[in-house]
Amino acid sequence: VTGGAGAIGSAIAKEFHAAGAEIMLVDKNAEHLQRVKSQIDPKISILQIDVTQPGAPSRIIEAVTKIYGGVDILISNAGSAQQSSIINMDQQLLRDSFELNFFAHFALGQEVLKAFRKQAIDGQILFNVSKQAVNPGQNFGAYGLPKSSLFFLVRQMALESGCHGVRV
């Protein structure tokens, strides 16, 4: 679960853990990761990493594989809702938002698809797309633009991976 130390990520992790899943929480905030781990179960795994950094996807898959022997489900949840009107939007704000809210999901999704094929198993990828992708809100363009691209990515990955038993 990326963004596992946040409100949505920790709630997802709690539900999956309660259903018997083995969980790895991934987040860039080590202190918050420890707090969520102690709230859910001291035995769950955590990985402190910034998902926007080069090499992060392969490091995440390596860590999951080392601990659990492989990956079955990716819950790609990391994100942040940057705000600005379109007319006043700084291009760096938009670029940073795309890095976190689209490119990090894209890169991790690619890496997980490769892991599924290597493991010769079906798998599942869940992306937190946000309602912003289909129902834009005032001054949320910097968030909605990458989220709408992520929504398209979900559909494209599902189209290309369904024949391999992967649900997206």
Side-chain angles (χ1 to χ4, degrees), residues 11-12 20 27-28 30 33 38 73 79 85-86 111 123 136 141 145 151 160:
I12 291 168
D27 203 285
K28 67 181 181 178
L33 275 172
S38 68
I73 300 172
S85 65
I86 295 294
E111 201 68 26
L145 286 163
F151 183 62
E160 295 181 13

Side-chain angles (χ1 to χ4, degrees), residues 42-59:
K43 293 181 262 175
I44 66 170
S45 299
I46 59 173
L47 178 63
Q48 188 269 322
I49 193 168
D50 181 342
V51 295
T52 66
Q53 295 304 302
S58 60
R59 288 179 50 207

Side-chain angles (χ1 to χ4, degrees), residues 88-109:
N88 294 319
M89 189 182 305
D90 177 80
Q91 281 196 21
Q92 192 58 53
L93 175 72
L94 182 60
R95 290 175 190 280
D96 291 346
S97 184
F98 261 94
E99 284 299 324
L100 177 58
N101 294 307
F102 176 74
F103 287 112
H105 296 279
F106 171 77
L108 189 51

Side-chain angles (χ1 to χ4, degrees), residues 34-168:
Q34 287 293 339
R35 179 181 45 81
V36 172
K37 176 181 178 169
S38 68
Q39 292 171 351
I40 298 174
D41 183 342
K43 293 181 262 175
I44 66 170
S45 299
I46 59 173
L47 178 63
Q48 188 269 322
I49 193 168
D50 181 342
V51 295
T52 66
Q53 295 304 302
S58 60
R59 288 179 50 207
I60 292 167
I61 299 307
E62 286 170 13
V64 168
T65 301
K66 182 177 181 181
I67 293 168
Y68 299 114
V71 60
D72 300 317
I73 300 172
L74 165 65
I75 302 170
S76 194
N77 168 69
S80 178
Q82 292 87 343
Q83 296 181 39
S84 176
S85 65
I86 295 294
I87 196 167
N88 294 319
M89 189 182 305
D90 177 80
Q91 281 196 21
Q92 192 58 53
L93 175 72
L94 182 60
R95 290 175 190 280
D96 291 346
S97 184
F98 261 94
E99 284 299 324
L100 177 58
N101 294 307
F102 176 74
F103 287 112
H105 296 279
F106 171 77
L108 189 51
Q110 274 187 318
E111 201 68 26
V112 167
L113 287 174
K114 292 173 187 175
F116 289 159
R117 288 203 183 159
K118 183 177 179 182
Q119 295 170 182
I121 65 162
D122 300 344
Q124 175 138 8
I125 300 174
L126 302 170
F127 290 108
N128 185 345
V129 173
S130 173
K131 74 170 190 74
Q132 185 66 23
V134 294
N135 187 20
Q138 187 74 21
N139 297 323
F140 277 95
Y143 182 59
L145 286 163
K147 286 296 192 171
S148 61
S149 295
L150 183 59
F151 183 62
F152 181 87
L153 178 66
V154 168
R155 297 179 73 191
Q156 191 68 36
M157 278 190 167
L159 174 71
E160 295 181 13
S161 301
C163 61
H164 299 285
V166 177
R167 294 184 302 150
V168 182

